[in-house]
Amino acid sequence: MAQLKGACIIGQSGGPTTVINASAYGAIKTALESDCITKVLGACNGIKGVLEDNLIDMGKEDPEELKYMQYTPSSALGSCRYKLKDPDVDDTDYKRILEIFKKYDVRYFFYNGGNDSMDTCNKISKFMMKNGYECRVMGIPKTVDNDLTGTDHCPGYPSAAKYVATTVMEICRDCHVYDTGMITIVECMGRHAGWLTAAAALANLKGDGPDLIYLPERDFDLDQFTSKVKEIYARTKKCLIAVSEGIHDKDGTLIVEYGSKDIARDSFGHAQLGGLAAFLANHLKKETGAKVRGIEFSLMQRCAAHIASQTDIDESFAAGKAAVDNAVAGVTDKMVGFARKYVDGKYVCEIQLFDLTDVANAEKKVPMSWITETGDGVTQDFIDYALPLIQGQTKLPIEDGLPRFVNLRKVKAEA
Amino acid sequence: MAQLKGACIIGQSGGPTTVINASAYGAIKTALESDCITKVLGACNGIKGVLEDNLIDMGKEDPEELKYMQYTPSSALGSCRYKLKDPDVDDTDYKRILEIFKKYDVRYFFYNGGNDSMDTCNKISKFMMKNGYECRVMGIPKTVDNDLTGTDHCPGYPSAAKYVATTVMEICRDCHVYDTGMITIVECMGRHAGWLTAAAALANLKGDGPDLIYLPERDFDLDQFTSKVKEIYARTKKCLIAVSEGIHDKDGTLIVEYGSKDIARDSFGHAQLGGLAAFLANHLKKETGAKVRGIEFSLMQRCAAHIASQTDIDESFAAGKAAVDNAVAGVTDKMVGFARKYVDGKYVCEIQLFDLTDVANAEKKVPMSWITETGDGVTQDFIDYALPLIQGQTKLPIEDGLPRFVNLRKVKAEA
């Protein structure tokens, strides 16, 4: 493969995670050190930064300061939720992107995001190929939802899972402190895939976990749920429940919609969920007369850098690095992902490449065989899958007792 | 002072904290090592365990296992919210307590709790004195609310403050990630005292803090608040707000009551708050049309052991130890507290004793002079006060990537 010289653009998109910056740092650092890559540009707010010619020169950042990106949650370059149109219907955006690529002689494009971002990445890749503009396009995955297909798991999920498992353990101690009855519901992110909620089961390894776990992979029956809670509560005066925001009944109606009819939708048409824990808490209060508390893990589950998994940080960095290394070596139109191996019984994570066409918009759910027959828990298969991912405490630097996050200069790029 | 030989009871009461067990461990360990204390009894669920003769023998616990108490959130002995009646009106409970004290030859009583628990402790102390039963009674403070009087600060507050400051920093990064507008409200505990909400201001030290902070010490005006948010949002397209659950208007009506008329009350007559963030989020959504997210720190702020302040853990241990040391030395009818000193400009925490009579039911609020004139922030005085408290990362042991909490045998005590 011939050497391809030119600038690169790195963009971040979609809902941020605790470690998306570790991936970006892996890509930026590797790109800055590459002989082929002449300039490293950061797109402000993802693809919108490209469309608006809002690019920053990563080479103008202090390399020592950039290191803090590894431990800084959320997307340091800014994010967006912007859906590119079908180029056969309207190619305005694509022409603009090509114009910007030509302006800065961009020959490498790295896009760091989830399902929708891989769709964006795939469309750009195909457009450039079709138009004969040589540019190597690589997707770098991230999502706390863990629902990207192909890859064993997604950067961002392990840290979110560690947050959920740890926090459930702590809440379990707290909500069982009185001898009077108490029902507690914790609500985790996950519209269609229950990976994050399932992570609550890890707390059961230590005896401080939930009694019931509900994922969106299975239909949810409110009456059956109520009976189960009543039975457990009658027996133990306690009940701790973990639910995915996206649980729905057999007709596909979201349970949170039982409580609220008008759900806001984002620009991808996804329902803006939340409020499920509050709805179920009110429902159970009425049904049982018990003290009930609904807790939403809200943004914390995807930004709690202080409890990130170091395994996740290291793997995320490796994914970003692999995207650049592979692109420089001639690879294009791929998403970097992970394959899992066990060497002497020890978990090992290897880089594997996946076709962007295959991963764009596809969703990977928790296998039905990993959900218990009663539909209110997960099996040992899930535990074996998730446990290696949450190992290792973050090396997040602390100053004045508080996290030290990155502060970028954000110097505007010149063509 | 003559040596007093006999058993001791240690009880925990009120809402738990991250470090209440560090205090209990300080007391238990010191009592187990004391020559005067013949038996160390743990009261299950506070004073209810005494009334119900539900006591465990702490000497039957594995000393190595007990060490994990320091890092385990919530009350390992169980808690209660039980208000002792005025003994002049009804002394049934007191007679029962005396009966149990005699049964086990209890000569030391240590009670680990907040305002209401100090009231319980004080009443028992006075009753025993009045009835000529020799028993040394000591209060060991805890409360995330930091509202106990006399003491410079309360064990439990520093860890909760560290959680709030750290989490606000992380959320600030997350909720500012898009270039589209966003308003975020975080709700902290604190019915009458705003200490915990004020801790959000520590995040501003790192540039990742709230724009507005509202404490219950100042009357809250919804219209004024709305105008300020609108002004900030119009200017920056962002606004991050921290509010105490207990904010109220000039007539004393809780703002959360604006949204809900029937507030549950606990057995002390305190309103069960919560839902304020959701109410304000809905209100601002209507007023601004912006995307608004309400986040409640719920139980996490008082049980997040993984982000506890090691300063808090050490001081809490010291408070428990001092209670036993002082009681053995002849002191009674006191609450252990802290005095602050600066040695060569460095924060030092010293033990100071306070009369139970003075601390029972009294409340310490954030000084009005520490709140900015505009009523939506705190001054440097508060920062100087709080910053030393959140120093030091917890040494919480980790197993399998998860916290290792204490598991007590809870062997029933014999008389």
Side-chain angles (χ1 to χ4, degrees):
Chain A
M1 179 67 62
Q3 254 201 6
L4 179 64
K5 286 226 174 194
C8 80
I9 287 180
I10 295 169
Q12 300 178 302
S13 169
T17 76
T18 304
V19 297
I20 185 168
N21 286 324
S23 284
Y25 179 63
I28 290 166
K29 184 174 185 288
T30 311
L32 285 170
E33 290 165 0
S34 161
D35 292 333
C36 290
I37 296 176
T38 51
K39 198 171 248 188
V40 181
L41 306 172
C44 296
N45 299 107
I47 198 64
K48 282 174 85 174
V50 179
L51 292 167
E52 294 163 5
D53 198 357
N54 190 7
L55 304 171
I56 57 174
D57 189 339
M58 302 311 298
K60 299 272 168 69
E61 301 292 338
D62 172 2
E64 286 306 307
E65 183 67 29
L66 275 181
K67 287 181 184 167
Y68 290 105
M69 277 186 80
Q70 296 172 86
Y71 307 106
T72 302
S74 191
S75 307
L77 303 175
S79 186
C80 69
R81 287 194 182 278
Y82 184 88
K83 199 168 175 68
L84 286 179
K85 295 200 177 74
D86 180 344
D88 292 336
V89 176
D90 182 352
D91 63 358
T92 317
D93 282 348
Y94 299 90
K95 283 179 176 162
R96 172 67 176 157
I97 293 167
L98 182 55
E99 185 183 9
I100 296 292
F101 277 20
K102 284 179 177 169
K103 176 176 174 184
Y104 292 92
D105 189 28
V106 172
R107 297 293 167 178
Y108 296 92
F109 181 69
F110 305 106
Y111 212 48
N112 193 188
N115 308 70
D116 296 316
S117 309
M118 290 308 127
D119 177 58
T120 299
C121 197
N122 184 44
K123 281 174 174 162
I124 291 173
S125 179
K126 301 304 185 286
F127 183 85
M128 296 299 159
M129 283 196 252
K130 200 174 156 187
N131 287 270
Y133 181 82
E134 193 175 9
C135 181
R136 295 179 189 154
V137 177
M138 298 287 286
I140 307 168
K142 73 82 210 161
T143 165
V144 295
D145 293 333
N146 202 38
D147 58 352
L148 277 163
T149 194
T151 185
D152 176 77
H153 60 280
C154 301
Y157 172 67
S159 292
K162 191 178 179 86
Y163 172 89
V164 167
T166 303
T167 306
V168 163
M169 282 183 68
E170 292 166 342
I171 287 175
C172 186
R173 291 276 167 155
D174 187 294
C175 70
H176 289 171
V177 77
Y178 298 114
D179 61 347
T180 47
M182 176 91 171
I183 297 171
T184 310
I185 302 145
V186 298
E187 175 187 343
C188 304
M189 285 179 174
R191 285 184 183 96
H192 307 123
W195 295 104
L196 201 44
T197 309
L202 295 169
N204 279 318
L205 288 175
K206 304 287 165 188
D208 292 315
D211 300 287
L212 300 167
I213 297 175
Y214 294 98
L215 314 185
E217 280 79 359
R218 286 269 292 242
D219 296 338
F220 182 87
D221 183 305
L222 189 62
D223 292 335
Q224 218 173 67
F225 164 74
T226 310
S227 305
K228 274 186 192 169
V229 173
K230 279 182 175 170
E231 186 276 314
I232 293 169
Y233 184 72
R235 191 156 39 82
T236 66
K237 286 176 89 176
K238 290 160 197 165
C239 193
L240 178 55
I241 306 142
V243 292
S244 277
E245 59 177 343
I247 53 166
H248 55 79
D249 63 23
K250 63 177 168 43
D251 302 321
T253 305
L254 290 167
I255 305 306
V256 67
E257 291 194 62
Y258 286 16
S260 138
K261 293 295 159 197
D262 53 339
I263 306 253
R265 288 183 186 273
D266 70 13
S267 58
F268 287 101
H270 304 314
Q272 292 278 302
L273 304 183
L276 174 66
F279 165 72
L280 289 177
N282 279 330
H283 170 77
L284 289 176
K285 217 172 278 177
K286 269 181 243 158
E287 289 284 333
T288 63
K291 186 172 174 180
V292 189
R293 198 184 270 266
I295 300 174
E296 215 183 311
F297 285 156
S298 193
L299 297 183
M300 289 82 87
Q301 64 201 300
R302 73 176 193 196
C303 71
H306 69 272
I307 183 73
S309 151
Q310 188 61 40
T311 298
D312 193 19
I313 294 173
D314 294 339
E315 291 180 355
S316 300
F317 179 92
K321 184 180 186 319
V324 175
D325 284 340
N326 277 283
V328 166
V331 175
T332 186
D333 203 37
K334 301 278 182 187
M335 181 189 84
V336 172
F338 300 139
R340 173 190 302 241
K341 277 195 179 172
Y342 288 92
V343 177
D344 298 331
K346 215 178 149 244
Y347 162 88
V348 175
C349 177
E350 289 185 352
I351 297 291
Q352 191 179 342
L353 301 179
F354 299 90
D355 287 341
L356 276 174
T357 309
D358 295 340
V359 294
N361 293 311
E363 260 184 342
K364 189 181 71 176
K365 300 187 178 185
V366 177
M368 291 305 262
S369 62
W370 288 11
I371 302 174
T372 56
E373 265 179 49
T374 47
D376 51 21
V378 292
T379 66
Q380 186 62 36
D381 286 328
F382 173 80
I383 303 292
D384 294 340
Y385 168 83
L387 194 58
L389 308 181
I390 66 163
Q391 301 305 309
Q393 305 306 105
T394 174
K395 294 168 195 144
L396 168 67
I398 301 292
E399 277 180 18
D400 301 324
L402 292 168
R404 169 65 164 84
F405 294 148
V406 73
N407 292 303
L408 297 180
R409 286 183 193 140
K410 301 203 174 180
V411 178
K412 205 164 158 43
E414 285 170 30
Chain B
M1 179 69 59
Q3 256 202 3
L4 179 63
K5 286 225 173 196
C8 81
I9 287 180
I10 294 168
Q12 300 178 302
S13 171
T17 76
T18 304
V19 298
I20 184 168
N21 286 324
S23 283
Y25 178 64
I28 290 166
K29 183 174 186 289
T30 311
L32 285 169
E33 289 164 1
S34 160
D35 292 335
C36 290
I37 296 176
T38 52
K39 199 172 245 186
V40 182
L41 305 172
C44 297
N45 299 105
I47 198 64
K48 282 175 85 173
V50 180
L51 292 166
E52 294 164 6
D53 197 359
N54 189 8
L55 303 171
I56 58 175
D57 189 339
M58 301 311 299
K60 299 272 167 72
E61 301 292 338
D62 173 2
E64 286 305 309
E65 183 67 28
L66 276 181
K67 287 181 184 168
Y68 290 105
M69 278 186 80
Q70 296 173 85
Y71 307 106
T72 302
S74 191
S75 308
L77 303 173
S79 186
C80 69
R81 288 195 182 276
Y82 184 88
K83 197 168 175 70
L84 286 177
K85 294 199 178 72
D86 179 347
D88 292 338
V89 176
D90 181 354
D91 65 357
T92 317
D93 281 348
Y94 300 89
K95 283 179 174 160
R96 172 65 177 158
I97 293 167
L98 182 54
E99 185 183 7
I100 295 292
F101 277 20
K102 285 180 176 167
K103 176 177 172 184
Y104 292 92
D105 189 28
V106 171
R107 298 291 168 180
Y108 296 92
F109 181 68
F110 305 106
Y111 212 47
N112 194 186
N115 307 68
D116 296 316
S117 310
M118 289 308 126
D119 177 60
T120 299
C121 195
N122 184 43
K123 282 171 172 160
I124 291 172
S125 179
K126 302 303 184 288
F127 182 86
M128 295 299 161
M129 284 196 250
K130 198 174 159 188
N131 286 270
Y133 180 81
E134 193 176 11
C135 181
R136 296 180 188 154
V137 177
M138 297 290 282
I140 308 168
K142 73 85 210 156
T143 165
V144 295
D145 293 333
N146 202 39
D147 59 350
L148 278 162
T149 195
T151 185
D152 175 77
H153 60 279
C154 301
Y157 172 67
S159 293
K162 191 179 179 86
Y163 172 88
V164 167
T166 304
T167 306
V168 164
M169 281 183 69
E170 293 167 340
I171 287 175
C172 186
R173 291 274 168 158
D174 187 294
C175 72
H176 289 171
V177 77
Y178 297 114
D179 60 347
T180 47
M182 175 93 172
I183 297 171
T184 311
I185 303 144
V186 298
E187 175 187 343
C188 303
M189 284 179 175
R191 284 184 184 95
H192 307 123
W195 295 104
L196 201 45
T197 309
L202 295 169
N204 278 320
L205 289 176
K206 303 289 166 189
D208 292 313
D211 300 287
L212 301 166
I213 298 175
Y214 293 98
L215 314 184
E217 280 79 359
R218 284 271 290 246
D219 297 337
F220 182 87
D221 184 303
L222 190 60
D223 291 335
Q224 219 172 67
F225 163 74
T226 310
S227 305
K228 275 186 192 169
V229 173
K230 279 182 177 172
E231 186 276 314
I232 293 169
Y233 183 72
R235 192 158 36 82
T236 65
K237 287 175 87 174
K238 293 161 194 163
C239 192
L240 177 56
I241 306 142
V243 292
S244 277
E245 59 177 343
I247 53 167
H248 54 80
D249 62 24
K250 63 180 167 41
D251 302 321
T253 305
L254 290 168
I255 304 306
V256 66
E257 291 193 62
Y258 286 16
S260 138
K261 292 297 159 195
D262 52 340
I263 305 252
R265 287 184 187 275
D266 71 12
S267 57
F268 286 100
H270 303 314
Q272 293 277 301
L273 303 183
L276 174 65
F279 165 72
L280 289 177
N282 277 330
H283 170 76
L284 289 176
K285 216 172 281 176
K286 267 182 243 157
E287 290 283 334
T288 63
K291 187 172 174 180
V292 189
R293 197 184 271 268
I295 299 175
E296 217 184 311
F297 286 158
S298 192
L299 298 181
M300 287 82 86
Q301 64 201 298
R302 74 177 194 197
C303 72
H306 70 272
I307 182 75
S309 150
Q310 188 62 40
T311 298
D312 194 19
I313 294 173
D314 293 340
E315 291 179 357
S316 300
F317 179 92
K321 183 179 188 318
V324 175
D325 284 341
N326 278 282
V328 166
V331 175
T332 186
D333 202 37
K334 301 278 184 189
M335 181 189 83
V336 173
F338 300 137
R340 172 192 303 241
K341 276 196 179 171
Y342 289 92
V343 177
D344 298 330
K346 217 179 148 241
Y347 162 88
V348 175
C349 177
E350 288 185 352
I351 297 290
Q352 192 178 343
L353 301 178
F354 299 90
D355 287 343
L356 277 175
T357 309
D358 296 338
V359 293
N361 294 312
E363 260 183 341
K364 188 180 73 174
K365 300 186 180 187
V366 177
M368 290 306 259
S369 62
W370 289 12
I371 302 174
T372 54
E373 266 179 47
T374 46
D376 51 23
V378 293
T379 66
Q380 186 62 36
D381 286 329
F382 172 80
I383 303 293
D384 294 340
Y385 168 83
L387 194 58
L389 308 180
I390 66 162
Q391 302 305 308
Q393 306 305 108
T394 175
K395 296 168 193 143
L396 168 66
I398 301 292
E399 276 179 18
D400 302 323
L402 292 167
R404 169 63 164 87
F405 294 148
V406 73
N407 292 303
L408 297 179
R409 286 183 193 140
K410 300 202 173 181
V411 178
K412 207 169 156 40
E414 285 170 30

